Amino acid sequence: MEVQHRSLQKEVGLTLATSLVIGTVIGSGIFMKPGKVIEYAGDSTLALWAWIVGGLITLASGLTIAEVGTQIPKTGGLYVYLEEVYGKVWGFLAGWVQSVIYGPEVIGALGLYFGSLLVHLFGWGAAWKLPIAVGTVLLLAVVNSLGTRYGGFVQTAATLGKLVPIALIAVFGMWKGNGQIWGADSGVTTEISFGAAVLATLWAYDGWMLVGFMAGEMKNPAKVLPRAIIGGLLVVTLAYLSVNVALLHLLPASEIVRLGENAAGAAASHLFGEWGGRLISVGILVSIFGCLNGKILAFPRVPFAMAERGHLPGSRWLSRIHAAYGTPVAAIFSQAVIAVILMVVSNPDHLSELAIFSVYLFYILAFVALFILRRRQGGRPRAYSVPLYPIVPLFAIAGSLYILASTLLTNPGNTLAALAITLLGLPFFRRGQRKEAALRGEPVRANR
C-alpha cells in the first residue's frame, strides 16, 4: 500500500487537484438552498451577498486547513489534527461529533432531499418521500459494503450529472430570463438573519475539509495545493452565484422561497419545457445521489478509525471488516441507521443546518491550531504556507465565530442540543481512558 500511495503522490497535478476540489464541494446545496437563503436574508440582494461571504469563509478555511494538513501528514483528518495539537480528549470529541451528529445528519439531509425531489418529479404523494429517502440510504450502504470499487464507480458515474444542470440553468437562465435580481423581497415575514443565511450557504460549500487531505498526493503541494483550492473554490462560488442569479432571472424571489428544493426543477421546466425540465431534474437527482454516495463512502471511516482504537461504545463491533469484501461494514451501517432515525424525527433543512453548526465548533479549533503549529515549528521551512498569513486564518476564525454566535442567538434550542450531544461523548472518552490505563497498569490521564 505504501508503494501505491507514493506512486499516487507523483501523479496528482493542478488539473486533477482542481477537479477534485470542485467535485468534492458541489453536491445538493446549490439546488436545495437558494430558497432558504433568500428567506433568511429577507431579500435577493442580501441573499447573493450571503453566497459571496459563505464562499470567502470557505476559501479561507480551506487554505488554512491545507497548511495544518501538510504539517500533520497523518490519516484521520480533523480527528487526528485536534488530537495532535490539543490532546486526546479534543480529538475524541471531534470524532464523536462526526460519528453521531455531523455524518448521520448530512446523510439524512441528503436522503430526504433526494426523496423530496424524486416524489416531486413523478408526482407521487408526499407519503412516499420518507420511504424513498430511507430506501436510498440503505441501498447505498449495501453498495458501499460490497466493496469500495462499487461505491467509487457510482461516484464517478455521478460526477458529470452534477455539472450539467448547473451549467444549463446558469447559462440559459441568465440568457432568457428578465426577472428582478436585486432588492427582490422574499415575501415571508420570518425574522431576518444574515448569519442564518450564510450558514445555509455553507451546506452548499461543505466538503472543503477534504481538500486539505490531498496534500500528500500532489507532485508539488507548495504550489499545486493553494492554486487548486483557490481555483476550485472560485469556480464553485462563481457557479453558485450564477445559478442564483439565473433563478432570480426566471422566478420571483418569493416564488423561489415558496418552491424550496423544487425551485431549480421549476426553473428548468420554464426554460426547456416539461420534458426538458424533467431531464434537468434527473441530472439534479443524479448529483444528489452521487453526493450521498460519497458521504456514505467516506463518513464511516471516522467511527471505524475510532473503533479500531477502542474509543467508541461497541468498538469491537464497529471495527469489524467484512471477511469477503474488506469493507468496514458495521461502521457503514451504524451511520446509515443513525441517519434513518434522524430522517424519521426531523426535516432536511434542520438536519443540514445543525450538521454545519456542530462541525464548525471543531473547525475553529483546527484554524487556531495553525498558530500553535507555527509557534512549535519555529522558523523551519514548510512544504506549504497559507497565503496572507495571519489574515486568511483570522478571517476563517472570525467568519466561523460569527456564524456560530448568530446561530446560537437565532436558534438556541437546536444549537444547545448539538452542544449537549457533544458533551455526552465525555463519559465514553473517560471510560476508554480507564480501560487503556488499566491495561498498562497506569493512572488515568485527563488529556494525553
Side-chain angles (χ1 to χ4, degrees), residues 30-112:
I30 184 53
F31 308 117
M32 303 294 102
K33 289 298 185 180
K36 274 295 175 183
V37 175
I38 295 174
E39 178 183 342
Y40 292 142
D43 64 58
S44 59
T45 301
L46 281 179
L48 291 174
W49 274 110
W51 285 100
I52 294 171
V53 171
L56 291 175
I57 292 174
T58 303
L59 180 60
S61 301
L63 290 171
T64 301
I65 289 298
E67 181 173 332
V68 174
T70 55
Q71 292 201 48
I72 306 176
K74 298 180 181 179
T75 57
L78 188 64
Y79 169 44
V80 172
Y81 299 161
L82 298 191
E83 181 178 271
E84 190 79 12
V85 175
Y86 300 106
K88 290 183 178 180
V89 63
W90 290 106
F92 172 87
L93 287 177
W96 169 263
V97 165
Q98 290 180 89
S99 299
V100 302
I101 305 178
Y102 176 66
E105 285 180 337
V106 170
I107 292 170
L110 287 170
L112 288 172

